[in-house]
């Protein structure tokens, strides 16, 4: 055989193999055969079109096969459109199958809308069949007698499919139930009434319709645990008494400071008066000199004035000496040794 013919044959075989590999890679033949075996009518060019639209065929075809086997009639275009919108096609189909088995009326459009809203639609359907229990943390309330009461509740809820889109979540339910518990405890006359009848909390909270506007329907609220906390009333009274004491001490300190300031002011005025007296005494010799010059004061008058001053100084000295002796005598009497 001609070597050039052999080379051409090998090249043809290699190109054929590459073409087949590309064909089987781009066109999911196995998936197409599986769909035909399951009774799902889908064309090979539809699968090629999915590839061109950047849709992974198995993400759409496998859920379609599942729905067909479950007896659901869903159009391929709807599943492909939901995939292109960013939805989870497999979860939507599973939710529709679960809803059909549980006799829950749920259309593909509503199911797809719930999925695109970010909710787990399969979990919602399962919760509609098997209600979920939400446990709250310890919620503290203060009764009218000032005693703190802590309660923990278990909320049994069922998903409300009609309100899944736009409805509030679990956090809102827990917050509303907590608000109801605090309100019920706060309206009780004393903590003993709450401890004796914890079901009053459940009844009061259920009457308020706390599930309005949420994605759930509250079936029951049960008090799982209840405990006594601090004596908030006594603590507040103690804090108030401490505050009153601090205020009184501050006012007393203010009055003391004002008294000290007034005392210092009086001392300053005394010193001022003494300075004026000293100033006046300094003017006496000058006045006497003027009187001498004017002839209004004679020598004898001046001598009498000097005698009076000397007599006054002598009496003052005697008085000081007598007072000193009295102080020494009293000290010796107190301390004979």
């Amino acid at each position: 055989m001609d070597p050039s013919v052999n080379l051409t044959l090998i090249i043809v075989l290699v190109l054929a193999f590459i073409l087949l590999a590309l064909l089987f890679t781009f066109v999911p033949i196995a998936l197409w055969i599986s769909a035909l075996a399951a009774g799902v009518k889908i064309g090979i060019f539809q699968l090629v079109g999915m590839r061109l639209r950047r849709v992974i065929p198995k993400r759409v075809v496998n859920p379609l096969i599942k729905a067909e086997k479950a007896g659901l009639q869903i159009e391929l275009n709807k599943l492909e459109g939901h995939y292109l919108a960013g939805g989870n096609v497999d979860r939507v189909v599973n939710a529709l199958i679960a809803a059909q088995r549980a006799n829950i009326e749920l259309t593909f459009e509503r199911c797809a809308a719930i999925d695109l809203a970010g909710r787990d639609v399969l979990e919602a359907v399962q919760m509609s069949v098997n209600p979920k229990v939400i446990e709250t943390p310890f919620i503290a309330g203060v009764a009218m007698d000032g005693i703190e009461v802590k309660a923990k509740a278990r909320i049994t809820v069922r998903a409300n499919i009609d309100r899944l889109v736009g409805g509030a979540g679990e956090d809102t339910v827990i917050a509303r139930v907590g608000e109801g518990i605090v309100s019920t405890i706060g309206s009780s006359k004393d903590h003993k009434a709450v401890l004796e009848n914890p079901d009053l909390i459940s009844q009061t909270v259920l009457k308020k319709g706390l599930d309005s506007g949420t994605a759930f329907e509250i079936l029951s609220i049960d008090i799982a645990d209840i405990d006594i906390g601090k004596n908030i009333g006594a603590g507040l009274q103690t804090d108030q008494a401490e505050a009153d004491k601090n205020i009184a001490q501050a006012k007393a300190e203010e009055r003391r400071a004002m008294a000290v300031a007034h005392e210092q002011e009086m001392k300053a005025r005394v010193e001022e008066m003494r300075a004026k007296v000293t100033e006046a005494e300094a003017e006496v010799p000058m006045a006497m000199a003027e009187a001498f010059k004017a002839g209004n004061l004679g020598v004898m008058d001046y001598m009498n004035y000097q005698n009076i001053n000397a007599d006054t100084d002598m009496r003052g000295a005697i008085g000081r000496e007598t007072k000193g002796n009295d102080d020494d005598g009293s000290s010796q009497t107190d301390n004979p040794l």
Side-chain angles (χ1 to χ4, degrees):
M1 183 179 291
D2 190 358
S4 61
V5 175
N6 291 335
L7 181 60
T8 303
L9 181 60
I10 293 173
I11 294 174
V12 170
L13 291 176
V14 171
L15 291 176
F17 179 78
I18 293 174
L19 290 174
L20 287 175
L22 291 175
L23 178 64
F24 280 98
T25 302
F26 190 76
V27 180
I29 302 296
L31 185 63
W32 176 65
I33 295 173
S34 299
L36 291 179
V40 176
K41 295 180 180 180
I42 184 171
I44 191 69
F45 291 104
Q46 288 178 302
L47 297 177
V48 174
M50 290 182 188
R51 289 288 192 185
L52 295 175
R53 290 188 291 273
R54 295 188 177 182
V55 175
I56 301 176
K58 67 178 181 179
R59 297 283 181 87
V60 177
V61 176
N62 287 335
L64 182 62
I65 296 173
K66 190 187 303 182
E68 183 70 24
K69 289 300 182 180
L72 296 176
Q73 299 298 325
I74 304 176
E75 297 179 4
L76 178 63
N77 290 332
K78 291 183 178 181
L79 295 178
E80 188 177 351
H82 186 66
Y83 177 85
L84 290 173
N88 191 321
V89 178
D90 190 61
R91 186 164 55 192
V92 169
V93 171
N94 289 337
L96 289 172
I97 295 173
Q100 182 193 41
R101 297 292 187 269
N103 292 325
I104 299 175
E105 185 178 354
L106 182 63
T107 63
F108 175 81
E109 287 73 15
R110 178 172 291 276
C111 191
I114 294 172
D115 183 64
L116 292 177
R119 302 272 190 181
D120 191 337
V121 62
L122 179 60
E123 182 183 359
V125 173
Q126 293 172 347
M127 196 184 302
S128 298
V129 178
N130 185 19
K132 180 180 179 181
V133 177
I134 302 173
E135 185 169 328
T136 67
F138 269 108
I139 300 171
V142 182
M144 291 185 180
D145 59 353
I147 303 299
E148 181 185 35
V149 180
K150 299 179 179 179
K152 179 187 289 186
R154 287 192 176 97
I155 312 163
T156 304
V157 298
R158 179 171 57 197
N160 191 330
I161 296 178
D162 293 334
R163 293 203 300 255
L164 276 177
V165 179
E170 293 183 12
D171 294 338
T172 302
V173 174
I174 294 175
R176 289 183 180 180
V177 171
E179 180 183 355
I181 292 174
V182 172
S183 176
T184 304
I185 295 175
S187 60
S188 302
K189 292 184 179 180
D190 53 36
H191 67 285
K192 296 179 181 179
V194 181
L195 295 177
E196 291 174 358
N197 300 302
D199 57 328
L200 290 177
I201 300 176
S202 303
Q203 296 173 5
T204 305
V205 174
L206 279 174
K207 291 178 182 178
K208 294 185 176 182
L210 302 178
D211 54 1
S212 62
T214 66
F216 304 98
E217 178 184 353
I218 297 178
L219 301 179
S220 66
I221 299 176
D222 304 306
I223 302 302
D225 192 8
I226 192 167
D227 196 6
I228 297 297
K230 300 178 181 179
N231 191 336
I232 303 297
L236 292 175
Q237 291 177 358
T238 302
D239 294 340
Q240 185 63 43
E242 184 69 20
D244 294 340
K245 184 190 74 171
N246 293 335
I247 293 174
Q249 289 178 347
K251 290 183 177 179
E253 182 65 22
E254 182 182 359
R255 290 194 297 268
R256 188 192 68 81
M258 292 179 63
V260 171
H262 186 67
E263 179 185 4
Q264 296 298 325
E265 184 180 357
M266 292 298 102
K267 288 182 178 180
R269 293 185 63 183
V270 169
E271 294 297 328
E272 182 181 358
M273 293 298 104
R274 285 179 180 175
K276 290 183 179 180
V277 170
T278 303
E279 183 180 359
E281 289 178 350
E283 293 179 355
V284 170
M286 297 176 63
M288 292 177 64
E290 291 292 334
F292 271 119
K293 291 181 180 180
N296 296 327
L297 181 67
V299 176
M300 294 304 296
D301 295 330
Y302 178 74
M303 295 302 295
N304 290 332
Y305 171 74
Q306 291 294 333
N307 289 333
I308 292 172
N309 283 338
D311 185 56
T312 301
D313 293 339
M314 182 183 64
R315 290 177 183 274
I318 293 172
R320 287 192 294 271
E321 183 179 357
T322 303
K323 183 178 180 181
N325 292 334
D326 291 341
D327 293 338
D328 293 340
S330 61
S331 299
Q332 292 176 0
T333 304
D334 295 336
N335 301 298
L337 297 179

